Amino acid sequence: MPDVRVRNLDDWVVSELKDRAKRHGNSLDKELRALLTEEAMRPRQQAAARAAEIRDAIKKESGTLSDSGRYIREERDRT
Protein backbone atom coordinates (compact mmCIF):
# COMPACT_ATOMS: atom_id res chain seq x y z
CA MET A 1 0.00 0.00 0.00
CA PRO A 2 1.50 3.38 -0.92
CA ASP A 3 2.30 6.04 1.63
CA VAL A 4 1.13 9.64 1.45
CA ARG A 5 2.81 12.50 3.25
CA VAL A 6 1.06 15.79 3.90
CA ARG A 7 3.30 18.69 4.84
CA ASN A 8 2.76 22.14 6.24
CA LEU A 9 -0.48 21.51 8.09
CA ASP A 10 -1.38 24.09 10.68
CA ASP A 11 -0.84 22.95 14.25
CA TRP A 12 -4.52 23.37 15.08
CA VAL A 13 -5.48 21.03 12.21
CA VAL A 14 -3.22 18.27 13.48
CA SER A 15 -4.44 18.82 17.02
CA GLU A 16 -8.08 18.61 15.93
CA LEU A 17 -7.45 15.43 13.95
CA LYS A 18 -5.66 13.84 16.91
CA ASP A 19 -8.57 14.77 19.19
CA ARG A 20 -11.05 13.37 16.71
CA ALA A 21 -9.10 10.11 16.46
CA LYS A 22 -9.00 9.84 20.24
CA ARG A 23 -12.77 10.40 20.49
CA HIS A 24 -13.32 7.60 17.99
CA GLY A 25 -10.84 5.30 19.71
CA ASN A 26 -8.53 5.31 16.70
CA SER A 27 -4.91 6.06 16.01
CA LEU A 28 -4.27 9.18 13.98
CA ASP A 29 -3.27 7.00 11.01
CA LYS A 30 -6.47 4.97 11.18
CA GLU A 31 -8.61 8.10 11.50
CA LEU A 32 -6.91 9.73 8.51
CA ARG A 33 -7.34 6.57 6.41
CA ALA A 34 -11.04 6.55 7.25
CA LEU A 35 -11.45 10.23 6.38
CA LEU A 36 -9.58 9.91 3.10
CA THR A 37 -11.45 6.76 2.12
CA GLU A 38 -14.78 8.41 2.89
CA GLU A 39 -13.87 11.41 0.77
CA ALA A 40 -12.63 9.25 -2.11
CA MET A 41 -15.91 7.27 -2.06
CA ARG A 42 -18.11 10.38 -2.13
CA PRO A 43 -18.36 10.65 -5.97
CA ARG A 44 -19.29 6.96 -6.25
CA GLN A 45 -21.93 7.30 -3.55
CA GLN A 46 -23.34 10.40 -5.24
CA ALA A 47 -23.47 8.59 -8.60
CA ALA A 48 -25.22 5.61 -7.01
CA ALA A 49 -27.75 7.91 -5.32
CA ARG A 50 -28.40 9.71 -8.62
CA ALA A 51 -28.87 6.38 -10.43
CA ALA A 52 -31.38 5.31 -7.79
CA GLU A 53 -33.28 8.59 -8.28
CA ILE A 54 -33.39 8.01 -12.03
CA ARG A 55 -34.56 4.39 -11.58
CA ASP A 56 -37.29 5.55 -9.20
CA ALA A 57 -38.42 8.25 -11.63
CA ILE A 58 -38.58 5.76 -14.50
CA LYS A 59 -40.44 3.26 -12.33
CA LYS A 60 -42.92 5.95 -11.26
CA GLU A 61 -43.48 7.07 -14.85
CA SER A 62 -43.50 3.67 -16.57
CA GLY A 63 -44.34 1.22 -13.82
CA THR A 64 -42.48 -1.98 -13.15
CA LEU A 65 -41.33 -3.76 -16.26
CA SER A 66 -41.62 -7.52 -16.46
CA ASP A 67 -38.58 -9.76 -16.55
CA SER A 68 -38.24 -10.69 -20.21
CA GLY A 69 -35.59 -13.31 -19.44
CA ARG A 70 -38.25 -15.89 -18.64
CA TYR A 71 -39.96 -15.35 -21.99
CA ILE A 72 -36.68 -15.51 -23.87
CA ARG A 73 -35.79 -18.82 -22.21
CA GLU A 74 -39.23 -20.25 -23.06
CA GLU A 75 -38.82 -19.19 -26.70
CA ARG A 76 -35.35 -20.77 -26.88
CA ASP A 77 -36.64 -23.99 -25.36
CA ARG A 78 -39.37 -24.27 -28.03
CA THR A 79 -36.88 -24.23 -30.88
Side-chain angles (χ1 to χ4, degrees):
M1 190 178 316
D3 290 338
V4 175
R5 178 179 237 164
V6 179
R7 298 174 189 211
N8 300 320
L9 290 172
D10 290 334
D11 290 340
W12 71 268
V13 173
V14 175
S15 178
E16 182 61 35
L17 290 169
K18 285 181 179 180
D19 289 346
R20 180 180 176 149
K22 187 175 181 179
R23 285 193 308 271
H24 292 148
N26 293 330
S27 67
L28 179 58
D29 283 349
K30 185 175 181 180
E31 189 72 18
L32 290 172
R33 280 192 300 274
L35 286 169
L36 291 171
T37 300
E38 181 181 326
E39 186 58 33
M41 289 296 293
R42 188 181 314 271
R44 292 177 185 194
Q45 292 168 335
Q46 290 171 340
R50 181 64 181 130
E53 290 174 3
I54 292 169
R55 280 192 307 272
D56 290 344
I58 291 170
K59 189 175 185 179
K60 184 177 181 181
E61 183 177 313
S62 302
T64 302
L65 301 175
S66 63
D67 179 12
S68 60
R70 184 181 76 175
Y71 302 113
I72 292 170
R73 281 189 290 283
E74 288 174 2
E75 182 64 28
R76 286 182 187 159
D77 290 343
R78 279 190 274 174
T79 59

